[in-house]
Amino acid sequence: MLRFTILGSGSSGNCAYLETDHTRLLVDAGFSAKQIELRLASIGRSVADVQAIFLTHEHGDHVCGLPVLAKRHVIPVYCNRLTAEYLHPQMPAFTNWRLFESGATVDVGDLKINSFSVPHDAYDPVGFMFYHALGNIGFLTDLGYATKLVIERVRQARALVLEANHDLRL
């Protein structure tokens, strides 16, 4: 099984849920912890089952629920060093960081997750490619434009989640 659910996307918050037979994770935590819990419950899931949270970048609409989720639940947070450094003052007691270099690949359960740099006005924003035996999913948020790197990294995606910035001049 490979199931991907957008729990919400936009300037008021971003959060997605990815589930396989052996792995359950969130991508971003941009709603309050309570709202994330309610949205997961609406699809018959619980934060208690989440094994990891992957962060695309540090902006509030992608992380505002993270400090409370991290305090309530023991869930590792995967992000790059610059994102973690920005969030550390909001979560000084949190020690369950799983840092990766942008461009690195990590394994969680039966998923292989590749991060890659994307153009956005954040410290070190990333997109993700989730690799699974049943298919590959590309995940891009706040994408200003698709660079050659972005296009190359998502080329193998069977499904692509894309949220783009709105700019009247473009």
Side-chain angles (χ1 to χ4, degrees):
M1 171 199 40
L2 179 61
R3 179 181 180 184
F4 197 83
T5 305
I6 303 297
L7 299 175
S9 176
S11 58
S12 62
N14 294 274
C15 186
Y17 176 75
L18 178 58
E19 177 179 10
T20 71
D21 288 329
H22 304 286
T23 310
R24 291 169 181 85
L25 57 88
L26 291 176
V27 183
D28 290 334
F31 297 103
S32 70
K34 180 177 182 173
Q35 196 54 230
I36 292 170
E37 291 165 353
L38 289 171
R39 290 172 188 234
L40 282 169
S42 76
I43 61 167
R45 301 298 184 263
S46 168
V47 174
D49 298 323
V50 172
Q51 298 160 289
I53 300 171
F54 278 77
L55 300 179
T56 58
H57 62 288
E58 76 283 353
H59 289 166
D61 60 328
H62 292 264
V63 300
C64 74
L66 186 64
V68 174
L69 277 179
K71 191 173 182 179
R72 278 191 201 160
H73 306 278
V74 181
I75 305 172
V77 174
Y78 289 77
C79 64
N80 57 41
R81 181 183 57 79
L82 291 176
T83 300
E85 285 178 3
Y86 179 87
L87 294 170
H88 181 67
Q90 300 169 47
M91 305 167 55
F94 185 72
T95 59
N96 211 359
W97 298 106
R98 300 289 190 274
L99 301 182
F100 59 77
E101 294 285 329
S102 295
T105 299
V106 297
D107 295 322
V108 176
D110 56 351
L111 289 169
K112 184 175 292 290
I113 300 108
N114 176 251
S115 65
F116 52 92
S117 295
V118 297
H120 185 48
D121 62 343
Y123 286 111
D124 192 6
V126 296
F128 295 110
M129 267 298 291
F130 298 96
Y131 295 95
H132 187 267
L134 295 177
N136 305 325
I137 299 171
F139 189 86
L140 301 162
T141 62
D142 290 336
L143 189 65
Y145 59 95
T147 64
K148 287 181 183 180
L149 174 67
V150 167
I151 293 167
E152 182 60 34
R153 292 298 170 99
V154 299
R155 188 175 305 273
Q156 296 177 2
R158 182 174 173 192
L160 180 60
V161 177
L162 176 63
E163 185 221 21
N165 292 347
H166 175 73
D167 186 333
L168 292 174
R169 292 178 296 160
L170 295 176

